[in-house]
PDB file of all heavy atoms in Angstrom:
ATOM      1  N   VAL M   1       0.850  -1.198   0.000  1.00 97.00           N
ATOM      2  CA  VAL M   1       0.000   0.000   0.000  1.00 97.00           C
ATOM      3  C   VAL M   1       0.883   1.245   0.000  1.00 97.00           C
ATOM      4  O   VAL M   1       0.678   2.181  -0.783  1.00 97.00           O
ATOM      5  CB  VAL M   1      -0.947   0.015   1.208  1.00 97.00           C
ATOM      6  CG1 VAL M   1      -1.805   1.286   1.195  1.00 97.00           C
ATOM      7  CG2 VAL M   1      -1.834  -1.218   1.224  1.00 97.00           C
ATOM      8  N   TYR M   2       1.879   1.245   0.875  1.00 97.00           N
ATOM      9  CA  TYR M   2       2.785   2.394   0.945  1.00 97.00           C
ATOM     10  C   TYR M   2       3.506   2.595  -0.395  1.00 97.00           C
ATOM     11  O   TYR M   2       3.709   3.736  -0.832  1.00 97.00           O
ATOM     12  CB  TYR M   2       3.825   2.185   2.052  1.00 97.00           C
ATOM     13  CG  TYR M   2       3.263   2.151   3.444  1.00 97.00           C
ATOM     14  CD1 TYR M   2       3.644   1.152   4.340  1.00 97.00           C
ATOM     15  CD2 TYR M   2       2.356   3.108   3.887  1.00 97.00           C
ATOM     16  CE1 TYR M   2       3.144   1.105   5.631  1.00 97.00           C
ATOM     17  CE2 TYR M   2       1.841   3.074   5.175  1.00 97.00           C
ATOM     18  CZ  TYR M   2       2.233   2.066   6.044  1.00 97.00           C
ATOM     19  OH  TYR M   2       1.729   2.033   7.318  1.00 97.00           O
ATOM     20  N   ALA M   3       3.892   1.498  -1.038  1.00 95.00           N
ATOM     21  CA  ALA M   3       4.611   1.594  -2.312  1.00 95.00           C
ATOM     22  C   ALA M   3       3.754   2.254  -3.381  1.00 95.00           C
ATOM     23  O   ALA M   3       4.251   3.064  -4.184  1.00 95.00           O
ATOM     24  CB  ALA M   3       5.059   0.203  -2.768  1.00 95.00           C
ATOM     25  N   ALA M   4       2.460   1.911  -3.430  1.00 97.00           N
ATOM     26  CA  ALA M   4       1.569   2.528  -4.417  1.00 97.00           C
ATOM     27  C   ALA M   4       1.308   3.987  -4.064  1.00 97.00           C
ATOM     28  O   ALA M   4       1.333   4.869  -4.938  1.00 97.00           O
ATOM     29  CB  ALA M   4       0.261   1.758  -4.498  1.00 97.00           C
ATOM     30  N   CYS M   5       1.070   4.255  -2.800  1.00 98.00           N
ATOM     31  CA  CYS M   5       0.751   5.623  -2.386  1.00 98.00           C
ATOM     32  C   CYS M   5       1.965   6.545  -2.436  1.00 98.00           C
ATOM     33  O   CYS M   5       1.812   7.772  -2.356  1.00 98.00           O
ATOM     34  CB  CYS M   5       0.146   5.621  -0.987  1.00 98.00           C
ATOM     35  SG  CYS M   5      -1.500   4.841  -0.919  1.00 98.00           S
ATOM     36  N   ALA M   6       3.158   5.969  -2.596  1.00 97.00           N
ATOM     37  CA  ALA M   6       4.356   6.793  -2.800  1.00 97.00           C
ATOM     38  C   ALA M   6       4.233   7.610  -4.080  1.00 97.00           C
ATOM     39  O   ALA M   6       4.960   8.585  -4.277  1.00 97.00           O
ATOM     40  CB  ALA M   6       5.600   5.905  -2.856  1.00 97.00           C
ATOM     41  N   TYR M   7       3.302   7.212  -4.942  1.00 98.00           N
ATOM     42  CA  TYR M   7       3.036   7.984  -6.157  1.00 98.00           C
ATOM     43  C   TYR M   7       2.725   9.443  -5.828  1.00 98.00           C
ATOM     44  O   TYR M   7       3.098  10.358  -6.569  1.00 98.00           O
ATOM     45  CB  TYR M   7       1.862   7.368  -6.918  1.00 98.00           C
ATOM     46  CG  TYR M   7       1.441   8.172  -8.126  1.00 98.00           C
ATOM     47  CD1 TYR M   7       2.134   8.063  -9.324  1.00 98.00           C
ATOM     48  CD2 TYR M   7       0.372   9.074  -8.071  1.00 98.00           C
ATOM     49  CE1 TYR M   7       1.773   8.814 -10.436  1.00 98.00           C
ATOM     50  CE2 TYR M   7       0.006   9.821  -9.179  1.00 98.00           C
ATOM     51  CZ  TYR M   7       0.713   9.688 -10.349  1.00 98.00           C
ATOM     52  OH  TYR M   7       0.355  10.443 -11.438  1.00 98.00           O
ATOM     53  N   GLU M   8       2.028   9.663  -4.723  1.00 98.00           N
ATOM     54  CA  GLU M   8       1.569  11.010  -4.383  1.00 98.00           C
ATOM     55  C   GLU M   8       2.715  11.970  -4.074  1.00 98.00           C
ATOM     56  O   GLU M   8       2.545  13.185  -4.174  1.00 98.00           O
ATOM     57  CB  GLU M   8       0.599  10.949  -3.197  1.00 98.00           C
ATOM     58  CG  GLU M   8      -0.657  10.131  -3.463  1.00 98.00           C
ATOM     59  CD  GLU M   8      -1.494  10.684  -4.606  1.00 98.00           C
ATOM     60  OE1 GLU M   8      -1.389  11.885  -4.897  1.00 98.00           O
ATOM     61  OE2 GLU M   8      -2.244   9.911  -5.215  1.00 98.00           O
ATOM     62  N   THR M   9       3.851  11.451  -3.705  1.00 97.00           N
ATOM     63  CA  THR M   9       4.996  12.317  -3.400  1.00 97.00           C
ATOM     64  C   THR M   9       6.164  12.073  -4.365  1.00 97.00           C
ATOM     65  O   THR M   9       7.258  12.588  -4.154  1.00 97.00           O
ATOM     66  CB  THR M   9       5.479  12.086  -1.959  1.00 97.00           C
ATOM     67  OG1 THR M   9       5.742  10.691  -1.759  1.00 97.00           O
ATOM     68  CG2 THR M   9       4.406  12.530  -0.955  1.00 97.00           C
ATOM     69  N   ALA M  10       5.930  11.284  -5.410  1.00 97.00           N
ATOM     70  CA  ALA M  10       7.000  10.958  -6.360  1.00 97.00           C
ATOM     71  C   ALA M  10       7.389  12.177  -7.186  1.00 97.00           C
ATOM     72  O   ALA M  10       6.569  13.065  -7.465  1.00 97.00           O
ATOM     73  CB  ALA M  10       6.556   9.827  -7.273  1.00 97.00           C
ATOM     74  N   SER M  11       8.645  12.223  -7.592  1.00 95.00           N
ATOM     75  CA  SER M  11       9.129  13.309  -8.448  1.00 95.00           C
ATOM     76  C   SER M  11       8.689  13.066  -9.881  1.00 95.00           C
ATOM     77  O   SER M  11       8.271  11.963 -10.248  1.00 95.00           O
ATOM     78  CB  SER M  11      10.659  13.362  -8.385  1.00 95.00           C
ATOM     79  OG  SER M  11      11.213  12.199  -8.982  1.00 95.00           O
ATOM     80  N   GLU M  12       8.802  14.094 -10.700  1.00 92.00           N
ATOM     81  CA  GLU M  12       8.461  13.939 -12.111  1.00 92.00           C
ATOM     82  C   GLU M  12       9.382  12.919 -12.784  1.00 92.00           C
ATOM     83  O   GLU M  12       8.959  12.171 -13.664  1.00 92.00           O
ATOM     84  CB  GLU M  12       8.557  15.292 -12.827  1.00 92.00           C
ATOM     85  CG  GLU M  12       7.488  16.288 -12.400  1.00 92.00           C
ATOM     86  CD  GLU M  12       6.078  15.727 -12.543  1.00 92.00           C
ATOM     87  OE1 GLU M  12       5.756  15.172 -13.622  1.00 92.00           O
ATOM     88  OE2 GLU M  12       5.304  15.822 -11.571  1.00 92.00           O
ATOM     89  N   ALA M  13      10.633  12.874 -12.345  1.00 92.00           N
ATOM     90  CA  ALA M  13      11.566  11.894 -12.912  1.00 92.00           C
ATOM     91  C   ALA M  13      11.124  10.470 -12.570  1.00 92.00           C
ATOM     92  O   ALA M  13      11.232   9.562 -13.397  1.00 92.00           O
ATOM     93  CB  ALA M  13      12.979  12.146 -12.387  1.00 92.00           C
ATOM     94  N   GLU M  14      10.620  10.278 -11.357  1.00 96.00           N
ATOM     95  CA  GLU M  14      10.152   8.950 -10.951  1.00 96.00           C
ATOM     96  C   GLU M  14       8.893   8.540 -11.712  1.00 96.00           C
ATOM     97  O   GLU M  14       8.659   7.360 -11.950  1.00 96.00           O
ATOM     98  CB  GLU M  14       9.893   8.918  -9.454  1.00 96.00           C
ATOM     99  CG  GLU M  14      11.152   8.995  -8.600  1.00 96.00           C
ATOM    100  CD  GLU M  14      10.857   9.148  -7.129  1.00 96.00           C
ATOM    101  OE1 GLU M  14       9.991   9.994  -6.769  1.00 96.00           O
ATOM    102  OE2 GLU M  14      11.466   8.421  -6.321  1.00 96.00           O
ATOM    103  N   LYS M  15       8.076   9.504 -12.088  1.00 95.00           N
ATOM    104  CA  LYS M  15       6.839   9.220 -12.813  1.00 95.00           C
ATOM    105  C   LYS M  15       7.060   9.018 -14.309  1.00 95.00           C
ATOM    106  O   LYS M  15       6.157   8.560 -15.009  1.00 95.00           O
ATOM    107  CB  LYS M  15       5.843  10.374 -12.622  1.00 95.00           C
ATOM    108  CG  LYS M  15       5.324  10.530 -11.209  1.00 95.00           C
ATOM    109  CD  LYS M  15       4.374  11.721 -11.132  1.00 95.00           C
ATOM    110  CE  LYS M  15       3.823  11.907  -9.726  1.00 95.00           C
ATOM    111  NZ  LYS M  15       2.919  13.079  -9.647  1.00 95.00           N
ATOM    112  N   ASP M  16       8.226   9.343 -14.797  1.00 93.00           N
ATOM    113  CA  ASP M  16       8.484   9.406 -16.236  1.00 93.00           C
ATOM    114  C   ASP M  16       8.445   8.033 -16.904  1.00 93.00           C
ATOM    115  O   ASP M  16       9.444   7.313 -16.943  1.00 93.00           O
ATOM    116  CB  ASP M  16       9.837  10.070 -16.472  1.00 93.00           C
ATOM    117  CG  ASP M  16      10.216  10.117 -17.946  1.00 93.00           C
ATOM    118  OD1 ASP M  16       9.301   9.975 -18.792  1.00 93.00           O
ATOM    119  OD2 ASP M  16      11.417  10.294 -18.239  1.00 93.00           O
ATOM    120  N   TYR M  17       7.295   7.680 -17.442  1.00 94.00           N
ATOM    121  CA  TYR M  17       7.173   6.470 -18.246  1.00 94.00           C
ATOM    122  C   TYR M  17       7.496   6.750 -19.715  1.00 94.00           C
ATOM    123  O   TYR M  17       7.861   5.852 -20.477  1.00 94.00           O
ATOM    124  CB  TYR M  17       5.754   5.895 -18.162  1.00 94.00           C
ATOM    125  CG  TYR M  17       4.686   6.821 -18.724  1.00 94.00           C
ATOM    126  CD1 TYR M  17       4.445   6.895 -20.088  1.00 94.00           C
ATOM    127  CD2 TYR M  17       3.928   7.634 -17.893  1.00 94.00           C
ATOM    128  CE1 TYR M  17       3.482   7.748 -20.613  1.00 94.00           C
ATOM    129  CE2 TYR M  17       2.962   8.490 -18.404  1.00 94.00           C
ATOM    130  CZ  TYR M  17       2.742   8.541 -19.760  1.00 94.00           C
ATOM    131  OH  TYR M  17       1.799   9.386 -20.273  1.00 94.00           O
ATOM    132  N   ALA M  18       7.361   8.012 -20.119  1.00 92.00           N
ATOM    133  CA  ALA M  18       7.437   8.365 -21.538  1.00 92.00           C
ATOM    134  C   ALA M  18       8.810   8.085 -22.133  1.00 92.00           C
ATOM    135  O   ALA M  18       8.920   7.562 -23.246  1.00 92.00           O
ATOM    136  CB  ALA M  18       7.063   9.829 -21.721  1.00 92.00           C
ATOM    137  N   SER M  19       9.864   8.432 -21.403  1.00 91.00           N
ATOM    138  CA  SER M  19      11.213   8.201 -21.932  1.00 91.00           C
ATOM    139  C   SER M  19      11.464   6.720 -22.149  1.00 91.00           C
ATOM    140  O   SER M  19      12.104   6.316 -23.131  1.00 91.00           O
ATOM    141  CB  SER M  19      12.254   8.769 -20.963  1.00 91.00           C
ATOM    142  OG  SER M  19      12.130  10.172 -20.873  1.00 91.00           O
ATOM    143  N   MET M  20      10.941   5.896 -21.244  1.00 91.00           N
ATOM    144  CA  MET M  20      11.117   4.445 -21.359  1.00 91.00           C
ATOM    145  C   MET M  20      10.386   3.909 -22.593  1.00 91.00           C
ATOM    146  O   MET M  20      10.930   3.115 -23.360  1.00 91.00           O
ATOM    147  CB  MET M  20      10.583   3.752 -20.103  1.00 91.00           C
ATOM    148  CG  MET M  20      11.253   4.190 -18.815  1.00 91.00           C
ATOM    149  SD  MET M  20      12.936   3.572 -18.677  1.00 91.00           S
ATOM    150  CE  MET M  20      12.622   1.874 -18.245  1.00 91.00           C
ATOM    151  N   LEU M  21       9.135   4.348 -22.789  1.00 91.00           N
ATOM    152  CA  LEU M  21       8.341   3.826 -23.900  1.00 91.00           C
ATOM    153  C   LEU M  21       8.834   4.340 -25.247  1.00 91.00           C
ATOM    154  O   LEU M  21       8.721   3.658 -26.257  1.00 91.00           O
ATOM    155  CB  LEU M  21       6.872   4.193 -23.707  1.00 91.00           C
ATOM    156  CG  LEU M  21       6.180   3.608 -22.475  1.00 91.00           C
ATOM    157  CD1 LEU M  21       4.722   4.026 -22.441  1.00 91.00           C
ATOM    158  CD2 LEU M  21       6.288   2.090 -22.450  1.00 91.00           C
ATOM    159  N   ALA M  22       9.362   5.545 -25.264  1.00 90.00           N
ATOM    160  CA  ALA M  22       9.840   6.115 -26.524  1.00 90.00           C
ATOM    161  C   ALA M  22      11.128   5.443 -27.002  1.00 90.00           C
ATOM    162  O   ALA M  22      11.384   5.362 -28.206  1.00 90.00           O
ATOM    163  CB  ALA M  22      10.065   7.611 -26.369  1.00 90.00           C
ATOM    164  N   ALA M  23      11.937   4.964 -26.045  1.00 89.00           N
ATOM    165  CA  ALA M  23      13.226   4.379 -26.392  1.00 89.00           C
ATOM    166  C   ALA M  23      13.249   2.867 -26.238  1.00 89.00           C
ATOM    167  O   ALA M  23      14.309   2.250 -26.334  1.00 89.00           O
ATOM    168  CB  ALA M  23      14.319   4.999 -25.520  1.00 89.00           C
ATOM    169  N   ALA M  24      12.084   2.260 -26.004  1.00 90.00           N
ATOM    170  CA  ALA M  24      12.027   0.813 -25.767  1.00 90.00           C
ATOM    171  C   ALA M  24      12.524   0.040 -26.992  1.00 90.00           C
ATOM    172  O   ALA M  24      12.253   0.430 -28.132  1.00 90.00           O
ATOM    173  CB  ALA M  24      10.596   0.392 -25.434  1.00 90.00           C
ATOM    174  N   PRO M  25      13.235  -1.052 -26.775  1.00 91.00           N
ATOM    175  CA  PRO M  25      13.738  -1.831 -27.913  1.00 91.00           C
ATOM    176  C   PRO M  25      12.646  -2.547 -28.704  1.00 91.00           C
ATOM    177  O   PRO M  25      12.844  -2.903 -29.859  1.00 91.00           O
ATOM    178  CB  PRO M  25      14.684  -2.846 -27.251  1.00 91.00           C
ATOM    179  CG  PRO M  25      14.227  -2.942 -25.841  1.00 91.00           C
ATOM    180  CD  PRO M  25      13.705  -1.586 -25.490  1.00 91.00           C
ATOM    181  N   GLN M  26      11.479  -2.761 -28.066  1.00 89.00           N
ATOM    182  CA  GLN M  26      10.361  -3.408 -28.741  1.00 89.00           C
ATOM    183  C   GLN M  26       9.103  -2.556 -28.560  1.00 89.00           C
ATOM    184  O   GLN M  26       8.860  -1.999 -27.496  1.00 89.00           O
ATOM    185  CB  GLN M  26      10.107  -4.801 -28.134  1.00 89.00           C
ATOM    186  CG  GLN M  26      11.288  -5.731 -28.222  1.00 89.00           C
ATOM    187  CD  GLN M  26      11.196  -6.884 -27.250  1.00 89.00           C
ATOM    188  OE1 GLN M  26      12.209  -7.400 -26.798  1.00 89.00           O
ATOM    189  NE2 GLN M  26       9.994  -7.300 -26.907  1.00 89.00           N
ATOM    190  N   HIS M  27       8.304  -2.458 -29.604  1.00 89.00           N
ATOM    191  CA  HIS M  27       7.015  -1.772 -29.540  1.00 89.00           C
ATOM    192  C   HIS M  27       7.144  -0.339 -29.011  1.00 89.00           C
ATOM    193  O   HIS M  27       6.281   0.130 -28.271  1.00 89.00           O
ATOM    194  CB  HIS M  27       6.024  -2.540 -28.673  1.00 89.00           C
ATOM    195  CG  HIS M  27       5.825  -3.961 -29.103  1.00 89.00           C
ATOM    196  ND1 HIS M  27       5.240  -4.305 -30.298  1.00 89.00           N
ATOM    197  CD2 HIS M  27       6.168  -5.130 -28.502  1.00 89.00           C
ATOM    198  CE1 HIS M  27       5.204  -5.633 -30.404  1.00 89.00           C
ATOM    199  NE2 HIS M  27       5.769  -6.149 -29.345  1.00 89.00           N
ATOM    200  N   ALA M  28       8.226   0.342 -29.354  1.00 85.00           N
ATOM    201  CA  ALA M  28       8.383   1.730 -28.908  1.00 85.00           C
ATOM    202  C   ALA M  28       7.190   2.552 -29.399  1.00 85.00           C
ATOM    203  O   ALA M  28       6.748   2.410 -30.537  1.00 85.00           O
ATOM    204  CB  ALA M  28       9.684   2.310 -29.455  1.00 85.00           C
ATOM    205  N   PHE M  29       6.676   3.411 -28.546  1.00 85.00           N
ATOM    206  CA  PHE M  29       5.486   4.192 -28.894  1.00 85.00           C
ATOM    207  C   PHE M  29       5.774   5.097 -30.088  1.00 85.00           C
ATOM    208  O   PHE M  29       6.866   5.642 -30.235  1.00 85.00           O
ATOM    209  CB  PHE M  29       5.033   5.019 -27.695  1.00 85.00           C
ATOM    210  CG  PHE M  29       4.004   4.324 -26.843  1.00 85.00           C
ATOM    211  CD1 PHE M  29       4.081   2.966 -26.581  1.00 85.00           C
ATOM    212  CD2 PHE M  29       2.938   5.026 -26.306  1.00 85.00           C
ATOM    213  CE1 PHE M  29       3.146   2.327 -25.808  1.00 85.00           C
ATOM    214  CE2 PHE M  29       1.979   4.389 -25.530  1.00 85.00           C
ATOM    215  CZ  PHE M  29       2.081   3.039 -25.273  1.00 85.00           C
ATOM    216  N   SER M  30       4.759   5.273 -30.908  1.00 75.00           N
ATOM    217  CA  SER M  30       4.894   6.005 -32.162  1.00 75.00           C
ATOM    218  C   SER M  30       5.341   7.442 -31.943  1.00 75.00           C
ATOM    219  O   SER M  30       4.880   8.120 -31.009  1.00 75.00           O
ATOM    220  CB  SER M  30       3.558   6.015 -32.906  1.00 75.00           C
ATOM    221  OG  SER M  30       3.120   4.726 -33.200  1.00 75.00           O
ATOM    222  N   LYS M  31       6.213   7.898 -32.813  1.00 76.00           N
ATOM    223  CA  LYS M  31       6.602   9.302 -32.799  1.00 76.00           C
ATOM    224  C   LYS M  31       5.428  10.165 -33.261  1.00 76.00           C
ATOM    225  O   LYS M  31       4.651   9.768 -34.118  1.00 76.00           O
ATOM    226  CB  LYS M  31       7.803   9.526 -33.720  1.00 76.00           C
ATOM    227  CG  LYS M  31       9.073   8.829 -33.256  1.00 76.00           C
ATOM    228  CD  LYS M  31       9.583   9.376 -31.943  1.00 76.00           C
ATOM    229  CE  LYS M  31      10.868   8.711 -31.497  1.00 76.00           C
ATOM    230  NZ  LYS M  31      11.342   9.207 -30.190  1.00 76.00           N
ATOM    231  N   GLY M  32       5.315  11.322 -32.661  1.00 80.00           N
ATOM    232  CA  GLY M  32       4.279  12.261 -33.048  1.00 80.00           C
ATOM    233  C   GLY M  32       2.959  12.097 -32.322  1.00 80.00           C
ATOM    234  O   GLY M  32       2.040  12.896 -32.513  1.00 80.00           O
ATOM    235  N   GLN M  33       2.842  11.072 -31.473  1.00 78.00           N
ATOM    236  CA  GLN M  33       1.592  10.815 -30.766  1.00 78.00           C
ATOM    237  C   GLN M  33       1.706  11.308 -29.330  1.00 78.00           C
ATOM    238  O   GLN M  33       2.526  10.819 -28.560  1.00 78.00           O
ATOM    239  CB  GLN M  33       1.263   9.316 -30.771  1.00 78.00           C
ATOM    240  CG  GLN M  33      -0.049   8.973 -30.088  1.00 78.00           C
ATOM    241  CD  GLN M  33      -0.353   7.485 -30.153  1.00 78.00           C
ATOM    242  OE1 GLN M  33       0.536   6.662 -30.327  1.00 78.00           O
ATOM    243  NE2 GLN M  33      -1.614   7.134 -30.019  1.00 78.00           N
ATOM    244  N   CYS M  34       0.892  12.271 -28.959  1.00 85.00           N
ATOM    245  CA  CYS M  34       0.904  12.801 -27.598  1.00 85.00           C
ATOM    246  C   CYS M  34       0.243  11.798 -26.661  1.00 85.00           C
ATOM    247  O   CYS M  34      -0.877  11.341 -26.906  1.00 85.00           O
ATOM    248  CB  CYS M  34       0.169  14.134 -27.532  1.00 85.00           C
ATOM    249  SG  CYS M  34       0.136  14.866 -25.865  1.00 85.00           S
ATOM    250  N   THR M  35       0.937  11.456 -25.578  1.00 83.00           N
ATOM    251  CA  THR M  35       0.364  10.563 -24.571  1.00 83.00           C
ATOM    252  C   THR M  35      -0.026  11.325 -23.302  1.00 83.00           C
ATOM    253  O   THR M  35      -0.339  10.710 -22.297  1.00 83.00           O
ATOM    254  CB  THR M  35       1.350   9.434 -24.202  1.00 83.00           C
ATOM    255  OG1 THR M  35       2.464   9.996 -23.496  1.00 83.00           O
ATOM    256  CG2 THR M  35       1.843   8.700 -25.437  1.00 83.00           C
ATOM    257  N   TYR M  36       0.041  12.663 -23.348  1.00 87.00           N
ATOM    258  CA  TYR M  36      -0.350  13.530 -22.223  1.00 87.00           C
ATOM    259  C   TYR M  36       0.526  13.276 -20.998  1.00 87.00           C
ATOM    260  O   TYR M  36       0.071  13.388 -19.848  1.00 87.00           O
ATOM    261  CB  TYR M  36      -1.831  13.347 -21.874  1.00 87.00           C
ATOM    262  CG  TYR M  36      -2.727  13.190 -23.078  1.00 87.00           C
ATOM    263  CD1 TYR M  36      -3.508  12.057 -23.262  1.00 87.00           C
ATOM    264  CD2 TYR M  36      -2.768  14.169 -24.071  1.00 87.00           C
ATOM    265  CE1 TYR M  36      -4.315  11.900 -24.379  1.00 87.00           C
ATOM    266  CE2 TYR M  36      -3.573  14.021 -25.188  1.00 87.00           C
ATOM    267  CZ  TYR M  36      -4.337  12.888 -25.340  1.00 87.00           C
ATOM    268  OH  TYR M  36      -5.134  12.728 -26.446  1.00 87.00           O
ATOM    269  N   CYS M  37       1.794  12.935 -21.233  1.00 84.00           N
ATOM    270  CA  CYS M  37       2.676  12.560 -20.124  1.00 84.00           C
ATOM    271  C   CYS M  37       3.153  13.765 -19.328  1.00 84.00           C
ATOM    272  O   CYS M  37       3.611  13.621 -18.197  1.00 84.00           O
ATOM    273  CB  CYS M  37       3.881  11.770 -20.653  1.00 84.00           C
ATOM    274  SG  CYS M  37       5.013  12.732 -21.692  1.00 84.00           S
ATOM    275  N   GLY M  38       3.110  14.969 -19.913  1.00 84.00           N
ATOM    276  CA  GLY M  38       3.538  16.170 -19.209  1.00 84.00           C
ATOM    277  C   GLY M  38       5.016  16.476 -19.333  1.00 84.00           C
ATOM    278  O   GLY M  38       5.523  17.410 -18.700  1.00 84.00           O
ATOM    279  N   HIS M  39       5.741  15.725 -20.161  1.00 82.00           N
ATOM    280  CA  HIS M  39       7.173  15.957 -20.350  1.00 82.00           C
ATOM    281  C   HIS M  39       7.452  17.335 -20.926  1.00 82.00           C
ATOM    282  O   HIS M  39       8.552  17.872 -20.764  1.00 82.00           O
ATOM    283  CB  HIS M  39       7.734  14.902 -21.307  1.00 82.00           C
ATOM    284  CG  HIS M  39       8.777  14.032 -20.683  1.00 82.00           C
ATOM    285  ND1 HIS M  39      10.016  14.477 -20.341  1.00 82.00           N
ATOM    286  CD2 HIS M  39       8.748  12.721 -20.329  1.00 82.00           C
ATOM    287  CE1 HIS M  39      10.726  13.493 -19.823  1.00 82.00           C
ATOM    288  NE2 HIS M  39       9.970  12.417 -19.798  1.00 82.00           N
ATOM    289  N   CYS M  40       6.472  17.889 -21.625  1.00 88.00           N
ATOM    290  CA  CYS M  40       6.645  19.185 -22.284  1.00 88.00           C
ATOM    291  C   CYS M  40       6.777  20.339 -21.294  1.00 88.00           C
ATOM    292  O   CYS M  40       7.283  21.406 -21.632  1.00 88.00           O
ATOM    293  CB  CYS M  40       5.466  19.435 -23.213  1.00 88.00           C
ATOM    294  SG  CYS M  40       3.865  19.054 -22.462  1.00 88.00           S
ATOM    295  N   ALA M  41       6.307  20.147 -20.074  1.00 87.00           N
ATOM    296  CA  ALA M  41       6.359  21.204 -19.059  1.00 87.00           C
ATOM    297  C   ALA M  41       7.805  21.386 -18.572  1.00 87.00           C
ATOM    298  O   ALA M  41       8.617  20.468 -18.657  1.00 87.00           O
ATOM    299  CB  ALA M  41       5.435  20.838 -17.907  1.00 87.00           C
ATOM    300  N   PRO M  42       8.134  22.571 -18.058  1.00 90.00           N
ATOM    301  CA  PRO M  42       7.254  23.732 -17.887  1.00 90.00           C
ATOM    302  C   PRO M  42       7.236  24.617 -19.126  1.00 90.00           C
ATOM    303  O   PRO M  42       8.235  24.728 -19.840  1.00 90.00           O
ATOM    304  CB  PRO M  42       7.899  24.476 -16.717  1.00 90.00           C
ATOM    305  CG  PRO M  42       9.364  24.182 -16.874  1.00 90.00           C
ATOM    306  CD  PRO M  42       9.452  22.779 -17.415  1.00 90.00           C
ATOM    307  N   CYS M  43       6.085  25.223 -19.364  1.00 93.00           N
ATOM    308  CA  CYS M  43       5.936  26.151 -20.470  1.00 93.00           C
ATOM    309  C   CYS M  43       6.193  27.569 -19.963  1.00 93.00           C
ATOM    310  O   CYS M  43       5.591  27.983 -18.968  1.00 93.00           O
ATOM    311  CB  CYS M  43       4.516  26.049 -21.035  1.00 93.00           C
ATOM    312  SG  CYS M  43       4.095  27.337 -22.234  1.00 93.00           S
ATOM    313  N   PRO M  44       7.071  28.332 -20.600  1.00 93.00           N
ATOM    314  CA  PRO M  44       7.361  29.688 -20.125  1.00 93.00           C
ATOM    315  C   PRO M  44       6.136  30.600 -20.176  1.00 93.00           C
ATOM    316  O   PRO M  44       6.072  31.589 -19.446  1.00 93.00           O
ATOM    317  CB  PRO M  44       8.465  30.167 -21.071  1.00 93.00           C
ATOM    318  CG  PRO M  44       8.338  29.312 -22.288  1.00 93.00           C
ATOM    319  CD  PRO M  44       7.868  27.987 -21.791  1.00 93.00           C
TER     320      PRO M  44
END
């Protein structure tokens, strides 16, 4: 339970699934498709 709820205090780096999926050796997610991951932030 504590491990799952650690999500609430996790850093953006810890939450970053996008870098893993974009560079995965198999089934890497398509380029150009927004997954709403929030990597684009912060916007000036």
Side-chain angles (χ1 to χ4, degrees):
V1 179
Y2 294 133
C5 292
Y7 175 81
E8 299 299 336
T9 54
S11 67
E12 291 306 311
E14 290 172 314
K15 293 179 180 179
D16 177 19
Y17 63 81
S19 295
M20 301 288 284
L21 297 182
Q26 301 161 209
H27 305 294
F29 267 39
S30 300
K31 294 295 182 182
Q33 182 178 22
C34 180
T35 68
Y36 321 121
C37 67
H39 242 290
C40 45
C43 170

